């Protein structure tokens, strides 16, 4: 297990576990009974490193490329309450997502990736609900990074 998250009456665990465990890389259990939920995104390969919940959806980051057994999602996916991948597909490439956060309608991802939807994004990206990168936030982050003084050693 690499990441844990509680949302409502459920605790989610993500990591590198697979068979003989009953779920591949992510599961959901009832916090009161510990019963395993039928919710099963079935991360087909790679590991789960981060999770965030917002608006009834669960956003999952890692170094995977397949979810629900055969649906392509590179490094970041969104699942509904049934464990089915939504249409959210930012297509992150060039590395893994190690951090995910969600606030309102914006989803944030941080990690070692280099591209989002074919556009250069060095390790940080913000997305609108349709998975389109949020260009205004990206411009503000770039300006802040460029304005920082160099480190003193």
């Amino acid at each position: 297990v690499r990441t844990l998250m509680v949302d409502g009456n459920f605790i989610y665990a993500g990591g590198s576990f697979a068979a003989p465990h009953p779920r591949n890389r992510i599961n959901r259990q009832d916090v009161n009974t510990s019963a395993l939920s039928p919710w099963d995104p079935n991360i087909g390969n790679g590991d789960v490193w981060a999770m965030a919940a917002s608006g009834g959806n669960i956003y999952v980051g890692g170094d995977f490329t397949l979810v629900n057994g055969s649906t392509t999602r590179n490094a970041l996916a969104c699942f509904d309450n049934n464990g089915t991948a939504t249409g959210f597909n930012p297509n992150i490439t060039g590395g893994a997502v190690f951090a995910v956060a969600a606030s309102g309608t914006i989803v944030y991802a941080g990690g070692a990736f280099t591209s989002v939807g074919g556009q250069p994004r060095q390790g940080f990206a913000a997305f609108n609900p349709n998975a389109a990168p949020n260009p205004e936030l990206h411009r503000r982050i770039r300006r802040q990074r460029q304005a920082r003084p160099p480190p003193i050693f």
Side-chain angles (χ1 to χ4, degrees):
V1 174
R2 300 185 191 277
T3 183
L4 294 169
M5 178 187 71
V6 175
D7 184 42
N9 290 327
F10 295 105
I11 184 165
Y12 297 79
S16 58
F17 50 86
H21 190 278
R23 298 284 188 266
N24 286 328
R25 296 167 185 84
I26 191 168
N27 71 18
R28 177 174 86 174
Q29 292 177 258
D30 186 289
V31 295
N32 298 309
T33 67
S34 297
L36 187 62
S37 166
W39 186 86
D40 184 11
N42 189 17
I43 307 294
N45 59 358
D47 293 340
V48 170
W49 290 91
M51 296 179 284
S54 181
N57 292 317
I58 304 299
Y59 295 90
V60 177
D63 57 5
F64 51 83
T65 59
L66 292 174
V67 301
N68 293 142
S70 63
T71 301
T72 300
R73 292 292 185 272
N74 293 321
L76 184 61
C78 178
F79 300 98
D80 64 18
N81 199 39
N82 296 318
T84 303
T86 69
F88 182 86
N89 185 10
N91 192 26
I92 293 176
T93 58
V97 170
F98 295 120
V100 178
S103 178
T105 61
I106 304 294
V107 177
Y108 304 89
F113 53 87
T114 58
S115 175
V116 174
Q119 299 298 312
R121 295 288 187 273
Q122 295 297 318
F124 178 83
F127 305 95
N128 296 317
N130 63 358
N134 186 309
E136 178 54 33
L137 182 58
H138 179 69
R139 280 190 291 277
R140 282 186 279 168
I141 295 296
R142 285 190 65 210
R143 281 195 302 267
Q144 288 173 356
R145 281 185 179 170
Q146 292 167 351
R148 283 188 296 167
I152 299 172
F153 294 97

